[in-house]
Amino acid sequence: MSQPYQQQQQPQRFPILLSTMNDVPGYRVVRVFGEVFGLTVRSRNMFSNMGAGFKALAGGELKGLSKLLSDSRYEALGRLAQEAMQFGANAVVALRFDCNEIANTASEIAAYGTAVYLVPENADGQQAAAQYSQAQAQGQGQGQYQQTQGQYQGQ
């Protein structure tokens, strides 16, 4: 009987909220920046691929490939988060993944979603939304915007 796959390391935390939902309960969107994505293409070395081929004949989980895809997914999410933060977003909603194989040698993982700026729906959120609107009106843009980002990540 095979053992279930156990991830050895703690899941990576991202500097902004990443959600597969279209909205986040308790928060409201005050600005939509648009689509962002993170992409990675990876392959394993020839010997690992040969070993996986032999393992596939016998059946069972291909743990090396599972780890490769898991690592690729986190890398794509990290790149997505970085792109969203460059716009000044503090969250990505409607997050999705797309996976493809390239020339039978590499795997492509794409993470994509909508970069947004969220604020809480309470009084603090109204104050944060007003500060954000004021900063945008003054043309301060991302600099001041990113200074407040840590407060409203849902942490």
Side-chain angles (χ1 to χ4, degrees):
M1 181 176 264
S2 66
Q3 295 289 326
Y5 177 71
Q6 295 178 5
Q7 191 166 351
Q8 300 297 329
Q9 57 189 2
Q10 197 68 296
Q12 181 177 352
R13 298 279 179 192
F14 297 100
I16 63 173
L17 176 68
L18 304 177
S19 175
T20 58
M21 299 187 314
N22 292 331
D23 55 4
V24 179
Y27 291 82
R28 66 185 171 98
V29 174
V30 295
R31 176 138 188 224
V32 175
F33 295 98
E35 183 181 354
V36 291
F37 70 93
L39 176 71
T40 186
V41 178
R42 289 187 169 189
S43 68
R44 291 177 46 105
N45 67 51
M46 179 177 59
F47 299 110
S48 294
N49 284 338
M50 286 179 12
F54 290 128
K55 174 72 176 171
L57 293 173
E61 181 183 10
L62 305 175
K63 292 181 181 176
L65 293 177
S66 293
K67 181 174 180 356
L68 173 72
L69 290 175
S70 178
D71 292 348
S72 297
R73 180 179 166 121
Y74 280 113
E75 186 172 331
L77 285 172
R79 291 178 179 176
L80 168 102
Q82 290 300 314
E83 183 176 347
M85 289 169 44
Q86 287 176 352
F87 285 111
N90 68 348
V92 174
V93 294
L95 174 67
R96 302 291 185 263
F97 284 98
D98 187 29
C99 304
N100 293 300
E101 187 175 8
I102 299 173
N104 293 326
T105 60
S107 296
E108 171 202 28
I109 307 288
Y112 59 95
T114 303
V116 297
Y117 190 78
L118 299 175
V119 296
E121 288 181 338
N122 57 24
D124 289 340
Q126 291 173 354
Q127 180 183 4
Q131 287 175 349
Y132 172 75
S133 296
Q134 182 180 12
Q136 290 298 308
Q138 293 174 357
Q140 293 176 348
Q142 295 179 9
Q144 183 172 348
Y145 183 58
Q146 289 179 343
Q147 289 174 4
T148 61
Q149 128 185 8
Q151 299 174 22
Y152 305 109
Q153 294 182 45
Q155 296 179 6

